[in-house]
Amino acid sequence: MKRSKITRSFQVTIPKEIREALGLQIGDYLDMYVDEKGRIIMEKKVLMRKTFRAGRPLTPEEIEGIIAKGLGENIAGGSD
């Protein structure tokens, strides 16, 4: 069992062995709850990000066009 101390700002360091066992990285999320025995349970939250799959490599111009469409602007063609 590993032990951590609560800091003055109520932060807790997750021991290295636990971080490695869960594969935790900076920016990861943990879901937490208290079980029926009063124990704090933390579970790594895996967030699924939306991705764009073209089925082929995209050119820089195509990528700029997709970004421009998402922003509702014409950033790829400039403002002549």
Side-chain angles (χ1 to χ4, degrees):
M1 179 177 294
K2 298 295 175 184
R3 181 176 290 173
S4 290
K5 183 178 180 179
I6 299 172
T7 68
R8 156 178 356 165
S9 58
F10 293 95
Q11 295 177 334
V12 176
T13 299
I14 300 170
K16 181 179 179 181
E17 293 85 359
I18 307 258
R19 293 191 314 262
E20 289 176 348
L22 293 177
L24 295 176
Q25 301 291 321
I26 293 171
D28 284 348
Y29 288 90
L30 295 172
D31 286 343
M32 293 178 258
Y33 63 93
V34 178
D35 72 3
E36 66 281 347
K37 293 182 179 180
R39 296 177 294 194
I40 299 168
I41 307 297
M42 295 192 297
E43 299 175 337
K44 181 179 177 181
K45 176 69 176 179
V46 179
L47 300 176
M48 300 302 291
R49 296 182 181 177
K50 292 184 179 182
T51 59
F52 178 78
R53 295 179 190 246
R56 62 178 173 75
L58 297 174
T59 66
E61 292 79 17
E62 289 173 313
I63 294 169
E64 287 181 359
I66 292 167
I67 293 169
K69 184 177 179 183
L71 295 174
E73 304 171 1
N74 184 4
I75 60 172
S79 56
D80 294 350

